[in-house]
Amino acid sequence: MLCALGTAVCFGTASVLQAAATRATAPGTGSGVDPMLLMRALRQWRYLAGLALDGVGFLLELVALLSLPIYAVSAALAASLAVTAVTASRVLGVRLSGVEWAAVLVVCGGLAMLGLSSGAEGTGKGDTALKVGVLVTAVGVLAFGAVAGRLRGRARAAALGLGAGFGFGVVEVSVRLIDDFAPMAVLTNPAAYALLIGGGAAFLLLTSALQRGSVTAATAGMVIGETIGPAWVGVSWLGDRTREGLMPLAVTGFALAVLGALALARFGEAPAEE
């Protein structure tokens, strides 16, 4: 659980740096999904610093996923918005309303409930059909992004954010489906390719969403996409369970963490420094 919380700290802080860098990057033209936008953002030191934090957060996420049910890690990832909100208030002088401070406390309370109620990760490793399914889903995220990029206004931002959430969700599930790290086993495991494609697609779609549309809509879509689906897969196919008799507490904690994150969705992007 400490690794999951560390992931939230890394991702939440990284989003402040990356969003400021993304908004300072010249926009492209055409579709809302612009691969060159990511290349331009990589010229910004703040974006690179954010990527470094993302790398550390990803390693912590891997450790957490090997010990915790997916639903607990998913909620912790959504809780990174609480970290972003607090960081933005301290570093960039962004003012949080009373409702937003309450949302931060709700997120923390939800995570505490999950920490108390979460059991060990399920023992299921998924069959070949599930591994192929996540690979197909990862490719589908790219196709979904191509369509979403042609929408307009808040609909485009929400759709791109949702697609990014699906991509991050693919990463969460794929980690659990890689049960043998021998080189040949990894190369023949569809989940390994799903992890790479899903992660890359998620970064591309999220970068495009933050640069081109409503941050609140994009982040809300991302939170929904990266939490509900992976949690369902973990419980339905991989055997994730709660501690004996504590399922109501886990369900309540998960709901509070996600709803609190949605209330903080505008902090998916902190304003660029002047």
Side-chain angles (χ1 to χ4, degrees):
M1 196 64 189
L2 288 176
C3 288
L5 295 176
T7 298
V9 171
C10 289
F11 287 172
T13 305
S15 68
V16 175
L17 297 170
Q18 290 172 333
T22 299
R23 279 300 172 103
T25 302
T29 59
S31 171
V33 180
D34 180 7
M36 295 308 298
L37 172 61
L38 183 59
M39 300 304 297
R40 293 192 295 273
L42 287 173
R43 300 172 187 171
Q44 301 273 344
W45 72 266
R46 290 171 295 188
Y47 198 87
L48 293 175
L51 284 181
L53 283 173
D54 281 335
V56 175
F58 180 67
L59 293 177
L60 293 174
E61 180 186 356
L62 291 181
V63 176
L65 285 168
L66 294 176
S67 305
L68 287 176
I70 292 178
Y71 64 78
V73 181
S74 296
L77 295 181
S80 65
L81 285 176
V83 176
T84 299
V86 174
T87 302
S89 70
R90 299 295 183 185
V91 176
L92 300 178
V94 177
R95 296 189 62 181
L96 273 66
S97 68
V99 172
E100 288 168 337
W101 277 116
V104 171
L105 294 178
V106 166
V107 169
C108 294
L111 289 177
M113 292 180 185
L114 280 172
L116 291 172
S117 60
S118 296
E121 67 165 355
T123 57
K125 295 300 179 182
D127 55 16
T128 301
L130 182 57
K131 293 175 182 179
V132 172
V134 293
L135 177 57
V136 172
T137 302
V139 175
V141 169
L142 287 173
F144 180 85
V147 175
R150 299 182 182 278
L151 301 176
R152 295 182 178 274
R154 292 179 65 88
R156 178 174 61 186
L160 288 172
L162 182 63
F166 289 152
F168 288 128
V170 165
V171 171
E172 295 170 36
V173 175
S174 297
V175 170
R176 287 281 298 276
L177 297 180
I178 302 175
D179 54 351
D180 187 346
F181 292 92
M184 186 55 63
V186 172
L187 290 174
T188 56
N189 190 337
Y193 299 98
L195 188 153
L196 295 175
I197 296 172
F203 269 109
L204 174 59
L205 268 60
L206 183 59
T207 300
S208 297
L210 292 179
Q211 206 275 343
R212 292 172 178 271
S214 167
V215 171
T216 301
T219 306
M222 182 187 69
V223 168
I224 292 172
E226 73 179 353
T227 54
I228 298 176
W232 177 59
V233 171
V235 172
S236 300
W237 277 288
L238 301 179
D240 288 348
R241 294 293 183 267
T242 64
R243 293 182 182 179
E244 188 68 29
L246 294 182
M247 179 175 288
L249 185 64
V251 172
T252 302
F254 181 85
L256 288 176
V258 173
L259 291 174
L262 289 174
L264 296 167
R266 77 180 179 97
F267 291 98
E269 180 215 31
E273 298 172 332
E274 295 181 0

